[in-house]
Amino acid sequence: MSSRSIQLSDALYDYMLSVSLQETSLLQRLRLETAELPDARMQISPEQGQFMAMLVELMQARRIIEVGTFTGYSALCMAMAMPADGEMVCCDVETEWTDIAQKYWEEAGCRYLIDLRIAPAVETLDQLLLQKRQGHYDLVFIDADKGNYDAYYERAIQLVRRRGLIMIDNTLWGGSVIDGNNQKPDTLAIRALNLKLVQDSRVQVSMLPLGDGLTLILKK
């Protein structure tokens, strides 16, 4: 039997966070406020946010797109890791959530980095393509409605530069991807995209069992 990722019990997960999480008090307050919302499950885990921020720093990413912003935790993690002259386009359709996000972005002093666009993300991405932004971005993070994942990916692959990174969240979908009885549209969309990515000659892929499954896609 080949080696595999360790399974985390609640106690082991808590230990991992205790010896690795360096979350700021501001990020913690945002995460805890979001946890009180009915849709709190849409927030990424703190260790995933920290991992994404490290990738931003390692890449020295200056231009980022986020598809699906919710209350702004992931955007804040990445924005705080960006240089002062960076730019981030955040796509969402819900002002109730993004009003919370903007409050924390302002407090963190990085609101000026973020271009928040309240509109269907496909429209925003198409606008960027019409503005000749192909190959302009270092990193794209996709964490929105699952039925449009493939549409977001195909636009992201055009907008990201060569050797740029696309990150897609929820690619293990709570384990539903291997449940043959689950034929819900969102599950089918994620399964189809996962199969497409591993066969896509345009990219290199690594799926991590982080959060609900995080797939890293490097554009060749």
Side-chain angles (χ1 to χ4, degrees):
M1 181 176 178
S2 60
S3 298
R4 53 180 290 177
S5 297
I6 190 172
Q7 295 185 7
L8 296 179
S9 64
D10 288 346
L12 188 55
Y13 175 73
D14 289 343
Y15 171 77
M16 180 187 75
L17 294 186
S18 74
V19 296
S20 67
L21 187 62
Q22 298 173 313
E23 185 181 46
T24 67
S25 59
L26 181 65
L27 282 168
Q28 184 183 54
R29 281 197 285 115
L30 172 54
R31 181 166 57 85
L32 294 177
E33 180 175 342
T34 304
E36 299 299 318
L37 299 177
D39 296 301
R41 60 180 175 77
M42 295 196 300
Q43 180 168 246
I44 65 168
S45 64
E47 70 273 17
Q48 180 175 330
Q50 183 168 293
F51 175 72
M52 290 165 53
M54 183 176 288
L55 290 179
V56 170
E57 291 210 41
L58 286 170
M59 294 179 65
Q60 298 183 317
R62 293 180 58 250
R63 301 182 181 94
I64 296 174
I65 299 173
E66 178 175 75
V67 180
T69 292
F70 192 36
T71 59
Y73 186 89
S74 54
L76 184 55
C77 287
M78 293 188 290
M80 291 170 66
M82 293 173 70
D85 62 345
E87 58 179 88
M88 182 187 300
V89 177
C90 284
C91 309
D92 211 293
V93 293
E94 182 54 71
T95 56
E96 180 181 356
W97 296 334
T98 55
D99 284 349
I100 297 172
Q102 292 185 78
K103 177 179 66 174
Y104 283 90
W105 297 343
E106 290 280 2
E107 187 173 345
C110 59
R111 177 65 183 87
Y112 75 97
L113 294 171
I114 300 172
D115 177 7
L116 176 62
R117 303 197 185 187
I118 303 297
V122 167
E123 293 180 11
T124 298
L125 299 176
D126 283 343
Q127 287 176 356
L128 295 176
L129 290 168
L130 286 173
Q131 294 166 2
K132 309 298 183 185
R133 295 293 185 93
Q134 290 87 342
H136 179 74
Y137 295 92
D138 302 303
L139 187 153
V140 179
F141 177 49
I142 299 173
D143 183 16
D145 53 307
K146 312 313 170 191
N148 274 317
Y149 262 24
D150 186 69
Y152 299 146
Y153 170 66
E154 285 299 330
R155 287 159 175 79
I157 202 73
Q158 297 178 65
L159 290 163
V160 78
R161 62 171 170 80
R162 182 177 177 274
R163 311 307 289 175
L165 185 66
I166 301 170
M167 298 187 288
I168 303 182
D169 201 28
N170 302 118
T171 49
L172 291 176
W173 202 223
S176 296
V177 285
I178 61 169
D179 180 0
N181 294 319
N182 189 324
Q183 297 297 308
K184 295 179 180 179
D186 285 349
T187 306
L188 294 174
I190 293 173
R191 277 196 202 118
L193 182 61
N194 287 342
L195 288 173
K196 174 178 176 172
L197 291 174
V198 76
Q199 300 169 6
D200 193 340
S201 62
R202 299 172 294 178
V203 298
Q204 295 173 236
V205 176
S206 179
M207 182 187 286
L208 303 177
L210 179 61
D212 192 28
L214 180 68
T215 298
L216 307 183
I217 303 151
L218 184 69
K219 182 177 176 180
K220 292 183 179 178

